[in-house]
Amino acid sequence: EADTEGAPVTVAPVTAKQPWPDSMSAQVQAVRSLLSASSSAASPGALARSFSGRKANQIRDILETLVVLGQARRVEGGYVS
């Protein structure tokens, strides 16, 4: 694509929301996987937007569990793995 001046325009890909897993273990794995793939600190809200129907407080609980297990850390701006 090009803008009116003929320069290329970058279009961000549309990312579909992932379905929320049914089991707790699968939920933890899904959140941990997204956190690991993130190139910077991720907030519970940002991670929740990756799943259909999830609220940030549900994701926060999982992130705090990962912190207790030593699989994530709280940092300024959110969480990292």
Side-chain angles (χ1 to χ4, degrees), residues 1 4 8 12-13 19 34 39-40 42-45 51-52 54-55 57 60 67 70 72 75 79:
E1 292 180 27
T4 56
L34 273 182
S39 60
S40 60
S43 70
F51 297 100
S52 55
R54 291 304 98 199
K55 295 182 181 176
N57 63 341
R60 184 177 295 109
V67 168
V75 296
Y79 295 80

Side-chain angles (χ1 to χ4, degrees), residues 23-78:
S23 72
M24 176 58 81
S25 60
Q27 293 168 9
V28 172
Q29 184 178 9
V31 171
R32 184 174 178 226
S33 179
L34 273 182
L35 189 62
S36 295
S38 178
S39 60
S40 60
S43 70
L47 292 171
R49 286 188 291 276
S50 298
F51 297 100
S52 55
R54 291 304 98 199
K55 295 182 181 176
N57 63 341
Q58 294 168 307
I59 302 296
R60 184 177 295 109
D61 289 344
I62 290 173
L63 289 167
E64 286 300 322
T65 299
L66 291 172
V67 168
V68 169
L69 295 172
Q71 297 181 5
R73 292 182 295 125
R74 266 183 249 105
V75 296
E76 186 175 335

